[in-house]
């Protein structure tokens, strides 16, 4: 078995590249099934968020070039478009990378907890698509356990730092008093929920939650004393918003330049602060060219996030030590899997010998042999059968001067040095 990881993230690829290779949640079942059907792919998990697209695979050999070819073909991109931005890990490096991702050590916001939920969603998608087997299943469960250990044993999650927190912090810099402002949040996922809570805690005057599913918008709005609308109602409410934060899974822009221009006209050129956290982007890039619009995408939040990281860096060093030991632990488990077929073969062989010896003993009893004699014959016969081949191989190793086999036999049978 060969474990590999291919990916791009916020550190290696700009947003316009990441959005080319992002997987919509509705695409994942088809994508997982298609990749799983590729030659030599035994197991696969696909993680796709606004900051990263990663493919985790178990292969039956080390020829993994087919994964990149499939990725370009699936997204209808020219070959090697992704090459300058790609990272590729194998074996223990692939394990270490997944553990670091699960613990938030590879995130734009160091130690952020949302990625763990996204990993669990990716795991569930693969489970439902029947592309998850023993090895990747065990690895992801191990990653979840390590992330929990890191959260418990370090202070990695103590500071309220996230992309949503960074967006609200930037809004506070532009609007000194959020108590006079109206915020329009587009989406109802984890990031938007965090942004809503941060805005609510900072005394925002009014919150409007827009989502494709109005029930989800209502559920979030009730928690933050907000007002829910559907996406189709956005044009009617955009002019009310001083702050717009958007994070949906839409493959097409939610807000275009024309709609924003009309809203500005209604506002009599009163500025709007916009943060587009989505990948692919929810707000057309041309919107940022308009006067009185302050548009930031997810990559623009890095500087704000950096200011809030220092308290987590010492904890991250502790987390790396935990991860190093847990990589070794999982690699040891993988090595034991190589021994399983050998152990099974030995046991099957021994059971076959046992059955043959038992049949012979039962026949001897039927022929009138004394039970004590039949039992003694059974023990002698089974012992000879079990030890015949190992004894022959060890004698041969003496002729071949193969001391390694003799040493291995001493360890295998726990034989102490004879004095």
């Amino acid at each position: 078995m060969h474990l590999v990881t291919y990916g791009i993230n916020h550190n290696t690829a700009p947003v316009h590249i990441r959005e080319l290779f992002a997987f919509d949640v509705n695409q994942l079942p088809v994508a997982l099934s298609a990749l799983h059907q590729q030659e030599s792919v035994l197991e696969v998990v696909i993680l796709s968020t606004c900051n990263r697209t990663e493919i985790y695979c178990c292969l039956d050999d080390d020829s993994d070039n087919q994964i990149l070819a499939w990725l370009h073909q699936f997204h209808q991109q020219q070959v090697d478009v992704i090459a300058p931005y790609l990272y590729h890990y194998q074996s223990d490096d692939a394990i270490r990378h997944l553990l670091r991702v699960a613990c938030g050590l590879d995130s734009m916001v160091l130690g952020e907890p949302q990625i763990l939920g996204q990993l669990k969603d990716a795991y569930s998608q693969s489970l439902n698509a029947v592309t998850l087997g023993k090895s990747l299943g065990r690895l992801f469960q191990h990653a979840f356990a390590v992330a929990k250990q890191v959260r418990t044993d370090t202070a990695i999650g103590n500071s309220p730092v996230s992309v949503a927190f960074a967006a609200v912090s930037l809004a506070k810099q532009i609007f000194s008093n959020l108590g006079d402002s109206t915020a329009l949040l587009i989406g109802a996922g984890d990031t938007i929920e965090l942004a809503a809570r941060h805005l609510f805690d900072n005394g925002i005057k009014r919150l409007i939650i827009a989502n494709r599913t109005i029930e989800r918008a209502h559920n979030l709005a009730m928690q933050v004393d907000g007002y829910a609308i559907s996406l189709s109602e956005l044009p009617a409410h955009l002019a009310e918003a001083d702050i717009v934060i958007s994070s949906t899974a839409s493959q097409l822009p939610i807000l275009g330049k024309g709609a924003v221009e009309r809203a500005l006209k209604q506002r009599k050129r009163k500025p709007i602060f916009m943060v587009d956290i989505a990948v692919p982007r929810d707000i057309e890039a041309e919107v940022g060219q308009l006067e009185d619009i302050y548009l930031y995408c997810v990559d623009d939040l890095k500087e704000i996030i950096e200011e809030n990281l220092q308290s987590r860096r010492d904890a991250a060093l502790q987390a790396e030590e935990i991860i190093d030991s847990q990589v070794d632990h999982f690699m040891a488990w993988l090595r034991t899997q190589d021994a399983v077929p050998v152990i099974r073969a030995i046991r099957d062989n021994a059971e076959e010998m046992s059955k043959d010896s038992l049949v012979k003993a039962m026949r001897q009893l039927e022929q009138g042999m004394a039970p004590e004699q039949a039992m003694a014959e059974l023990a002698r016969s089974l012992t000879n059968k079990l030890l015949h081949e190992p004894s022959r191989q060890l004698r041969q190793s003496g002729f071949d001067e193969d001391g390694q086999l003799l040493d291995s036999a001493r360890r295998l049978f726990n034989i102490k040095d004879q004095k």
Side-chain angles (χ1 to χ4, degrees):
M1 186 205 70
H2 187 59
L3 181 64
V4 299
T5 300
Y6 276 107
I8 56 173
N9 65 18
H10 58 283
N11 288 320
T12 68
V15 65
H16 73 272
I17 294 295
R18 299 202 303 275
E19 62 189 2
L20 291 178
F21 292 92
F23 290 87
D24 178 75
V25 66
N26 297 319
Q27 293 178 310
L28 273 178
V30 174
L32 286 165
S33 178
L35 182 53
H36 192 234
Q37 291 172 19
Q38 297 295 304
E39 186 179 359
S40 82
V41 176
L42 302 176
E43 305 176 42
V44 60
V45 177
I46 297 175
L47 172 66
S48 186
T49 74
C50 61
N51 284 332
R52 69 182 65 244
T53 292
E54 294 182 338
I55 297 175
Y56 297 86
C57 282
C58 280
L59 310 175
D60 62 5
D61 57 41
D62 58 1
S63 58
D64 53 358
N65 292 334
Q66 60 184 308
I67 297 173
L68 280 187
W70 172 86
L71 182 62
H72 284 86
Q73 182 181 18
F74 187 87
H75 288 290
Q76 299 181 349
Q77 298 297 321
Q78 295 295 317
V79 176
D80 289 340
V81 169
I82 204 173
Y85 312 98
L86 188 75
Y87 45 84
H88 176 210
Y89 300 114
Q90 303 182 59
S91 190
D92 55 339
D93 290 331
I95 296 167
R96 179 174 287 102
H97 178 73
L98 176 60
L99 299 191
R100 295 188 77 253
V101 170
C103 295
L105 300 186
D106 195 57
S107 298
M108 179 185 293
V109 182
L110 180 64
E112 58 92 5
Q114 284 75 36
I115 187 62
L116 182 58
Q118 292 164 333
L119 270 174
K120 290 181 177 179
D121 288 343
Y123 171 88
S124 297
Q125 286 273 7
S126 297
L127 199 61
N128 293 335
V130 198
T131 65
L132 197 66
K134 182 177 181 180
S135 297
L136 273 187
R138 178 69 175 258
L139 175 57
F140 271 72
Q141 289 291 341
H142 188 64
F144 302 154
V146 172
K148 182 178 180 181
Q149 180 185 354
V150 166
R151 294 275 162 194
T152 302
D153 295 351
T154 76
I156 193 72
N158 287 358
S159 301
V161 182
S162 65
V163 172
F165 183 83
V168 175
S169 297
L170 187 55
K172 287 168 64 178
Q173 293 178 26
I174 294 175
F175 300 94
S176 57
N177 183 9
L178 293 181
D180 295 330
S181 303
T182 294
L184 169 61
L185 306 185
I186 307 174
D190 291 343
T191 302
I192 288 296
E193 182 176 345
L194 280 173
R197 294 188 184 282
H198 285 313
L199 287 166
F200 181 74
D201 292 342
N202 281 277
I204 192 75
K205 179 182 178 181
R206 186 166 175 247
L207 269 172
I208 304 171
I209 312 294
N211 191 53
R212 181 169 281 105
T213 306
I214 192 68
E215 289 80 9
R216 292 193 67 183
H218 274 302
N219 290 339
L220 178 54
M222 288 174 61
Q223 299 174 43
V224 293
D225 196 23
Y227 175 69
I229 63 172
S230 67
L231 290 185
S232 62
E233 298 176 88
L234 270 178
H237 292 272
L238 185 57
E240 303 170 34
D242 304 297
I243 300 165
V244 176
I245 300 177
S246 187
S247 179
T248 77
S250 174
Q251 294 300 294
L252 298 173
I254 299 294
L255 286 178
K257 185 178 179 181
V260 177
E261 283 179 321
R262 289 189 291 273
L264 282 174
K265 186 175 181 180
Q266 289 178 257
R267 290 171 61 84
K268 299 180 180 178
R269 313 309 301 182
K270 185 180 178 183
I272 304 177
F273 166 68
M274 294 182 164
V275 180
D276 188 354
I277 302 174
V279 175
R281 285 170 285 187
D282 285 338
I283 302 173
E284 287 183 349
E286 292 78 9
V287 170
Q289 300 169 6
L290 297 174
E291 290 186 19
D292 304 313
I293 291 293
Y294 300 91
L295 175 61
Y296 295 81
C297 73
V298 65
D299 289 353
D300 297 322
L301 300 179
K302 288 184 178 180
E303 184 176 342
I304 300 163
I305 290 167
E306 180 64 27
E307 297 173 2
N308 297 283
L309 289 179
Q310 193 56 49
S311 63
R312 296 192 175 193
R313 288 196 172 110
D314 289 342
L317 294 176
Q318 294 176 270
E320 295 283 8
E321 293 177 2
I322 293 172
I323 287 171
D324 284 343
S325 67
Q326 291 298 334
V327 169
D328 293 340
H329 179 75
F330 191 81
M331 285 298 294
W333 177 82
L334 278 182
R335 288 191 294 271
T336 66
Q337 301 311 293
D338 293 335
V340 168
V342 178
I343 294 171
R344 185 179 296 117
I346 291 172
R347 292 186 65 88
D348 290 346
N349 192 38
E351 287 177 4
E352 188 65 29
M353 293 178 183
S354 177
K355 289 177 183 177
D356 290 345
S357 297
L358 182 59
V359 168
K360 181 179 179 181
M362 295 295 291
R363 189 181 304 117
Q364 290 171 333
L365 286 171
E366 291 172 358
Q367 293 171 352
M369 181 180 285
E372 295 83 356
Q373 184 180 354
M375 291 178 64
E377 178 64 20
L378 170 64
R380 184 194 65 78
S381 173
L382 185 57
T383 300
N384 286 340
K385 286 182 178 181
L386 288 172
L387 296 181
H388 171 73
E389 186 60 24
S391 299
R392 189 186 71 80
Q393 292 289 347
L394 287 171
R395 282 194 296 270
Q396 184 63 43
S397 72
F399 285 110
D400 297 340
E401 297 183 355
D402 184 1
Q404 185 176 358
L405 182 59
L406 290 171
D407 290 339
S408 297
R410 290 190 184 97
R411 292 199 306 274
L412 183 62
F413 292 100
N414 195 26
I415 297 173
K416 308 301 180 184
D417 291 338
Q418 301 293 323
K419 294 184 178 179

